[in-house]
Amino acid sequence: MYSKILVALAFISSAAANIQFSREVLAIGPDGTVDIELDTSPPTGACATEDAYGSNDCTFDWGQNVTGSFVGTIGDPIESGSTLSVNLKVDKVITWAFSCAACGAVCETTVPVVNQPVSIPLPDCPLPVGSLEKAFNEALPASSPLGGVKVTATGTLGVTNPSGADVLKLSIDISVQ
């Protein structure tokens, strides 16, 4: 789920140089854990730092495969009524905000600036209490969709349970040069 969002965020980017990504874990629900591992193949070593929540401060080049995994423990089930929310500012001006069911649906959004539609298939409901693991290998486009324009996106992405409590909330910062 999050891997598709991260790849979608890459589409707002531009320039032939690279995509830089960093994140901060703002909240994890009771008894929850998260470990987000990111890298590229080939070469490896895309992320400069690692903390208790996984890879951070990563740089990806156009045409690379972004590989990794999302491993976590869900303390409360993610069930019907749980919500996936993304609230970003593109270049500090353009709002890209969307919200959809966190499970049992396909989340549809359109990336601003490039007007690229994105469909994010989400897992069936419910996601029970316990471990969750998702490996991914996603190819970035061979070249930038905007060609030469620097674009940034900052904001939050998260999942809440039906009562509105955070299951996971991240602050993300993406810059493409």
Side-chain angles (χ1 to χ4, degrees):
M1 159 170 64
Y2 287 113
S3 64
K4 293 284 186 189
I5 294 170
L6 296 177
V7 171
L9 292 172
F11 281 102
I12 67 169
S13 314
S14 63
N18 60 47
I19 300 166
Q20 296 174 329
F21 170 80
S22 62
R23 55 98 195 120
E24 179 182 355
V25 174
L26 301 175
I28 298 178
D31 300 321
T33 63
V34 65
D35 182 24
I36 304 168
E37 296 296 333
L38 300 170
D39 210 342
T40 54
S41 73
T44 59
C47 301
T49 63
E50 177 95 10
D51 63 16
Y53 305 110
S55 305
N56 204 8
D57 303 317
C58 305
T59 301
F60 308 109
D61 290 328
W62 294 109
Q64 287 184 315
N65 283 345
V66 178
T67 61
S69 63
F70 178 89
V71 178
T73 303
I74 301 171
D76 290 317
I78 297 174
E79 54 197 4
S80 180
S82 297
T83 304
L84 167 68
S85 298
V86 176
N87 189 357
L88 301 173
K89 282 290 188 182
V90 178
D91 286 340
K92 299 180 183 177
V93 180
I94 301 166
T95 298
W96 183 21
F98 61 94
S99 182
C100 48
C103 61
V106 174
C107 187
E108 305 281 344
T109 186
T110 300
V111 180
V113 181
V114 295
N115 294 320
Q116 176 74 39
V118 177
S119 295
I120 306 164
L122 299 169
D124 291 335
C125 292
L127 294 171
V129 170
S131 10
L132 175 67
E133 185 169 344
K134 175 68 176 163
F136 57 88
N137 183 354
E138 300 287 339
L140 291 175
S143 61
S144 166
L146 295 179
V149 178
K150 181 180 178 180
V151 176
T152 62
T154 59
T156 59
L157 117 83
V159 175
T160 56
N161 66 21
S163 68
D166 287 320
V167 175
L168 176 65
K169 187 171 186 179
L170 303 173
S171 170
I172 59 174
D173 187 351
I174 297 174
S175 173
V176 181
Q177 309 178 40

